[in-house]
């Protein structure tokens, strides 16, 4: 079996290899290149390509890279003698397509083309250089002989001239013969260049060798310059805005024995961390149960059924929920009258269906009138936070747009793609930042800790960023690509977190937050004697508080505090295990998780400079068409 399969694999590889070589419809006998280097780091280039077509083709195309080390290369004054041609884009290249679409050529054919190639200011303040691919590494045919003449604008150190040939990265300098007379270098290859092989000259020059160089050759140079500094500049602006306009007032945490009046546990969950999650919505079931509206019955499922589907529960309606906020009455009605029989409903009946109601409840809670028509955050801070997030994401947009422009050469086609890319990054980052802020420690505690830390490290990050960019402008920039990406990513995340922190609470939500935090601290740190007093006054105190303990994430601590004090299960819950506060809370935690995942579940969707060969500017390649 293996031998049979191996035989077919070898045959497939053979066919593919023959197909690859079959693409070589022509060869180049002589390739003559004349380059005049000007003092402003622009080159006047003429090429003579003597091709031999073994199959009828319309002509050849010549691809010339339009960028080098993130910089625009200006390619103009293109001429082709004796043949029609068109100029266009092919990825990041300028493509010169030579030939007649209505005629074919066969046998020997000479092509004469010339163009100006302007590098301008290379941004390297330490040295100048002439690092150029006389023949690029993207020709898909064999070039039997290359002859070249290079005329430099002034004297240079002849001992530093280095030619390399071969595949990209090759340092082989034995395949070229050359001599220098005055400021002119002439030479030729000693062996053919195969498909993908290049011929490159690397000539280090003293700083100032080139004069009157152009700093910007096109939009890419401007974009590259702007995006280089954008992240650090925007971080500075966002830090300033957050420090002076986005910091919340000090929250006064008074000791509270009960949650704030007229605040449901779902609203409490929203107020304390600024988000409404599934656990907040699930807490309403226990809230209704404690108020006497429903009873929760744990079904006797076990073994394989429980392992595959989780525990099942039955919610029994004791009376209708009226005179309550709209989101409560709406959820109550949907739960019993749409998914149940009007009197009871099983949790399993909600799976893959109830998520729409859950999401609707989350949306309504944020706008509920219990907040006295006031939003959680001031309108001004919401607008400011959105603006700061826009500034934070702008360097990502510029990075994406620059990449698309480099690839297409079109100023407009990259806009929607870069915009879509930025929106994806924006959405993912916003989710991650909110998750980080709300993980374990509630938002305001994390916000305080982050704020103190960021106030110390932001000036350092900005200074490092500025010096990093100054340093990379003075050295070989290619080495620092990874470090540059890491630095920009760190700056982007810090900027986004600060933009999120720019949201400023209203006076009302700050007051309620203080009461909730005071209440939460009491749940965590309450003394046993105080709890015994509260239970004497209200025997159901433990269960009255339970829905709020769920959203505040302190159920286990709460169980420890009441260990031995609550000896009977609540009147609204029926289970199948012996009762202790710990076993009850353990079951409650499991039920919250099970009920929450079921209520939010969705149906599954179906879908089927010593230099190396090829390392310089220019060159590119070509082929036939």
């Amino acid at each position: 079996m293996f031998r049979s399969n191996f035989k077919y694999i070898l045959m497939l590889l053979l066919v593919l290899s023959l197909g690859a070589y079959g693409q070589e419809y022509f060869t180049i006998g002589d390739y003559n290149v004349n380059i005049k280097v000007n003092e402003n780091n622009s080159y006047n280039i003429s090429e003579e390509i003597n091709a031999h077509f073994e199959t009828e083709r319309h002509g050849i195309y010549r691809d010339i890279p339009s960028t080098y080390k993130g910089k625009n290369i200006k390619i103009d004054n293109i001429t082709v003698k004796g043949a029609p041609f068109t100029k266009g884009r092919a990825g990041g290249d300028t493509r010169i397509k030579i030939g007649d679409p209505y005629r074919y050529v066969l046998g020997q054919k000479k092509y004469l083309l010339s163009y100006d190639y302007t590098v301008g200011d290379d941004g390297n303040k330490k040295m100048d250089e002439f690092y150029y691919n006389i023949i690029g590494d993207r020709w898909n045919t064999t070039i039997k002989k290359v002859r070249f003449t290079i005329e430099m604008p002034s004297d240079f150190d002849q001992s530093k001239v280095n030619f390399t040939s071969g595949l990209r990265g090759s340092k082989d300098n034995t395949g070229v013969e050359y001599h220098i007379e005055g400021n002119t270098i002439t030479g030729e290859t000693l062996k053919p260049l195969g498909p993908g092989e290049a011929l490159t000259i690397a000539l280090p020059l003293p700083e100032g060798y080139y004069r009157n160089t152009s700093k910007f050759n096109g939009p890419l140079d401007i974009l590259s310059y702007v995006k280089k500094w954008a992240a650090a500049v925007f971080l500075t602006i966002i830090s300033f805005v957050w420090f002076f306009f986005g910091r919340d007032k000090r929250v006064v945490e008074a000791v509270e024995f009960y949650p704030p009046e007229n605040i449901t546990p779902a609203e409490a969950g929203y107020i304390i961390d600024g988000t409404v999650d599934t656990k907040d919505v699930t807490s309403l079931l226990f809230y209704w149960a404690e108020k006497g509206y429903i009873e929760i019955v744990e079904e006797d499922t076990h073994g394989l059924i429980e392992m595959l589907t989780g525990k099942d529960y039955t919610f029994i309606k004791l009376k209708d929920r009226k005179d309550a906020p709209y989101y409560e009455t709406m959820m109550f009605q949907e739960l019993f009258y749409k998914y149940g029989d009007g009197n009871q409903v099983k949790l399993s009946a909600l799976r893959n269906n109830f998520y729409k109601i859950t999401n609707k409840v989350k949306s309504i809670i944020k706008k509920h009138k219990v907040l006295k028509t006031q939003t959680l955050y001031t309108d001004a801070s919401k607008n400011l936070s959105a603006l700061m997030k826009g500034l934070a994401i702008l360097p990502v947009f510029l990075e994406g747009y620059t990449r698309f422009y480099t690839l297409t050469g079109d100023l407009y086609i990259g806009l929607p793609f870069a915009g879509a890319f930025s929106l994806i990054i924006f959405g993912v980052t916003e989710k991650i930042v909110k998750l980080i802020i709300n993980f374990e420690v509630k938002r305001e505690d994390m916000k305080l800790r982050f704020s103190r830390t960021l106030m110390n490290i932001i000036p350092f990050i900005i200074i490092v960023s500025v010096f990093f960019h100054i340093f990379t402008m003075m050295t070989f920039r290619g080495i620092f690509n990874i470090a540059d990406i890491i630095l920009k990513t760190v700056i982007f995340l810090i900027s986004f977190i600060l933009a999120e922190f720019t949201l400023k609470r209203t006076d009302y939500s700050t007051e309620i937050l203080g009461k909730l935090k005071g209440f939460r601290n009491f749940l965590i740190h309450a003394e046993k004697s105080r709890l015994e007093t509260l239970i004497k006054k209200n025997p159901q105190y433990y269960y009255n508080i339970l829905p709020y303990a769920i959203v505040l994430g302190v159920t286990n601590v709460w169980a420890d505090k009441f260990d031995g004090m609550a000896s009977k299960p609540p009147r609204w819950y029926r289970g199948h295990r012996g009762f202790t506060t710990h076993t009850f809370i353990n079951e409650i935690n499991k039920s919250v998780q099970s009920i929450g995942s079921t209520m939010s579940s969705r149906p599954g969707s179906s879908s089927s400079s010593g230099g190396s060969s090829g390392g310089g500017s220019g060159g590119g390649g070509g082929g036939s068409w």
Side-chain angles (χ1 to χ4, degrees):
M1 182 70 178
F2 173 76
R3 288 185 176 182
S4 177
N5 289 337
F6 186 66
K7 178 176 68 176
Y8 287 121
I9 291 171
L10 285 177
M11 291 176 64
L12 178 61
L13 291 174
L14 179 61
V15 169
L16 290 174
S17 63
L18 288 173
Y21 281 106
Q23 296 302 308
E24 192 175 326
Y25 299 108
F26 73 109
T27 58
I28 297 175
D30 292 315
Y31 198 134
N32 302 316
V33 182
N34 295 307
I35 305 171
K36 180 184 178 183
V37 181
N38 302 305
E39 66 174 12
N40 64 348
N41 203 14
S42 67
Y43 319 142
N44 307 125
I45 301 171
S46 62
E47 300 179 358
E48 178 187 308
I49 303 171
N50 293 283
H52 182 80
F53 292 90
E54 299 173 9
T55 303
E56 286 189 341
R57 306 291 285 171
H58 293 289
I60 66 170
Y61 60 84
R62 178 76 173 87
D63 290 340
I64 307 169
S66 299
T67 62
Y68 178 60
K69 292 183 179 179
K71 178 178 173 57
N72 255 120
I73 300 298
K74 185 178 180 182
I75 302 169
D76 57 1
N77 298 326
I78 299 172
T79 61
V80 176
K81 293 182 180 179
F85 76 96
T86 59
K87 173 188 172 183
R89 294 283 299 193
D93 297 339
T94 294
R95 171 166 287 184
I96 306 171
K97 194 173 182 180
I98 308 172
D100 191 329
Y102 303 105
R103 294 183 180 181
Y104 290 97
V105 292
L106 185 64
Q108 200 70 22
K109 178 68 176 178
K110 179 188 291 187
Y111 296 96
L112 300 172
L113 64 147
S114 63
Y115 53 92
D116 294 339
Y117 187 92
T118 303
V119 177
D121 185 357
D122 60 7
N124 189 342
K125 304 302 180 184
K126 193 173 182 180
M127 59 174 283
D128 287 337
E129 65 179 352
F130 178 59
Y131 191 17
Y132 187 78
N133 301 319
I134 300 171
I135 301 295
D137 61 350
R138 284 184 279 132
W139 278 100
N140 61 4
T141 187
T142 299
I143 302 174
K144 296 180 180 178
K145 192 76 169 180
V146 179
R147 295 182 175 87
F148 57 85
T149 300
I150 303 169
E151 182 183 345
M152 299 298 292
S154 58
D155 295 339
F156 56 90
D157 188 343
Q158 299 182 9
S159 66
K160 293 185 177 180
V161 174
N162 185 41
F163 287 93
T164 53
S165 62
L167 296 174
R168 174 174 282 272
S170 170
K171 296 184 180 296
D172 180 11
N173 56 9
T174 63
V176 181
E177 182 179 67
Y178 68 93
H179 68 274
I180 302 171
E181 184 175 340
N183 297 330
T184 302
I185 308 168
T186 57
E188 61 183 27
T189 53
L190 301 177
K191 55 186 178 183
L193 297 176
E197 293 188 330
L199 170 62
T200 301
I201 177 175
L203 173 56
L205 299 165
E207 174 62 20
Y209 184 86
Y210 297 122
R211 293 175 291 174
N212 302 319
T213 55
S214 58
K215 192 170 185 63
F216 301 114
N217 285 332
L220 180 60
D221 293 343
I222 299 173
L223 283 171
S224 298
Y225 186 81
V226 170
K227 74 184 182 70
K228 179 185 295 184
W229 301 104
V233 171
F234 292 157
L235 174 59
T236 304
I237 295 172
I238 293 170
S239 302
F240 178 86
V241 169
W242 162 75
F243 186 83
F244 288 101
F245 302 103
R247 291 190 296 170
D248 287 326
K249 294 179 180 178
R250 182 174 175 271
V251 177
V252 179
E253 300 178 20
V255 176
E256 301 283 343
F257 303 145
Y258 286 90
E261 292 184 8
N262 300 320
I263 297 292
T264 69
E267 293 162 358
Y270 170 53
I271 291 172
I272 202 163
D273 64 11
T275 60
V276 184
D277 54 33
T278 302
K279 183 173 64 174
D280 298 334
V281 178
T282 304
S283 71
L284 289 173
L285 295 172
F286 299 94
Y287 180 67
W288 294 338
E290 180 55 31
K291 295 288 185 183
Y293 291 97
I294 68 173
E295 185 179 28
I296 301 174
V297 179
E298 177 192 340
E299 296 295 328
D300 189 13
T301 56
H302 54 273
L304 184 61
I305 295 176
E306 184 176 326
M307 185 185 301
L308 294 176
T309 63
K311 283 185 176 293
D312 202 3
Y313 297 85
T314 298
F315 305 107
I316 301 173
K317 186 190 75 172
L318 302 179
K319 58 182 178 179
D320 283 320
R321 179 69 168 143
K322 297 178 180 179
D323 299 324
Y326 169 69
Y327 69 85
E328 282 196 69
T329 57
M330 181 273 294
M331 178 176 165
F332 196 94
Q333 292 291 320
E334 293 284 334
L335 182 67
F336 287 103
Y337 292 97
K338 182 175 182 178
Y339 296 98
D341 61 6
N343 293 310
Q344 65 180 31
V345 61
K346 283 185 177 293
L347 176 64
S348 54
L350 308 181
R351 184 171 286 111
N352 297 336
N353 293 305
F354 203 71
Y355 70 92
K356 293 180 181 178
I357 306 302
T358 301
N359 290 338
K360 188 175 181 180
V361 170
K362 291 179 182 180
S363 176
I364 296 173
I365 286 175
K366 296 178 182 180
K367 306 170 184 176
H368 177 45
K369 66 180 181 181
V370 78
L371 297 180
K372 298 182 179 178
T373 69
Q374 299 186 62
T375 58
L376 199 63
Y377 304 104
T378 64
D379 291 337
S381 73
K382 286 193 288 187
N383 294 334
L384 205 55
S385 178
L387 178 60
M388 293 304 102
K389 287 179 181 179
L391 286 182
I393 201 68
L394 192 55
V396 177
F397 173 82
L398 290 172
E399 190 72 40
Y401 180 64
T402 301
R403 302 282 180 181
F404 281 109
Y405 175 75
T406 301
L407 187 64
T408 64
D410 191 298
L411 280 170
Y412 304 105
I413 196 171
L415 287 171
F417 290 102
F421 173 73
S422 301
L423 287 175
I424 292 171
I425 297 297
F426 183 93
V428 171
T429 305
E430 189 168 46
K431 291 287 185 183
I432 292 173
V433 167
K434 287 183 181 294
L435 184 64
I436 292 172
I437 292 174
N438 295 321
F439 181 71
E440 291 297 334
V441 185
K442 286 299 180 179
R443 179 191 183 93
E444 297 304 318
D445 301 327
M446 181 66 81
K447 184 172 180 178
L448 181 61
R449 296 183 186 188
F450 262 66
S451 299
R452 290 172 179 170
T453 304
L454 292 175
M455 286 177 69
N456 292 325
I457 68 172
I458 285 173
F460 174 75
I461 292 291
I462 293 172
I463 292 170
V464 168
S465 176
V466 171
F467 276 99
F468 178 83
H469 288 306
I470 292 173
F471 180 69
T472 53
M473 287 193 310
M474 300 173 63
T475 55
F476 179 60
R477 291 166 290 179
I479 299 174
F480 301 98
N481 285 343
I482 295 177
D484 186 51
I485 291 171
I486 293 173
L487 180 61
K488 286 179 178 177
T489 302
V490 170
I491 291 175
F492 167 64
L493 289 175
I494 292 175
S495 299
F496 210 94
I497 290 171
L498 285 178
E500 179 70 22
F501 285 172
T502 301
L503 286 170
K504 190 173 184 178
R505 287 182 176 272
T506 61
D507 291 340
Y508 175 76
S509 69
T510 300
E511 178 189 348
I512 298 298
L513 176 65
K515 291 181 178 181
L516 282 172
K517 293 187 75 172
F519 174 59
R520 179 166 162 258
N521 288 335
F522 170 72
L523 296 182
I524 296 172
H525 302 294
E527 297 177 356
K528 192 169 184 178
S529 59
R530 169 59 69 181
L531 296 177
E532 288 173 343
T533 302
L534 288 169
I535 286 181
K536 276 185 180 181
K537 291 182 179 179
N538 178 11
Q540 291 297 311
Y541 177 77
Y542 178 74
Y543 302 115
N544 292 160
I545 300 307
L546 181 60
Y548 296 91
I550 290 172
V551 299
L552 297 175
V554 295
T555 49
N556 289 327
V557 176
W558 197 224
D560 289 338
K561 297 288 184 183
F562 277 87
D563 191 23
M565 283 191 247
S567 58
K568 295 181 180 181
R571 60 184 181 275
W572 46 262
Y573 187 87
R574 282 187 276 159
H576 296 279
R577 292 171 174 80
F579 179 82
T580 67
T581 53
H582 282 288
T583 56
F584 175 69
I585 286 299
N586 186 47
E587 289 304 312
I588 288 296
N589 287 336
K590 288 180 180 178
S591 66
V592 168
Q593 183 178 3
S594 177
I595 294 170
S597 62
T598 300
M599 289 173 62
S600 60
S601 65
R602 297 170 179 261
S605 59
S606 59
S607 62
S608 16
S609 207
S612 61
S613 181
S617 61
S624 65
W625 64 286

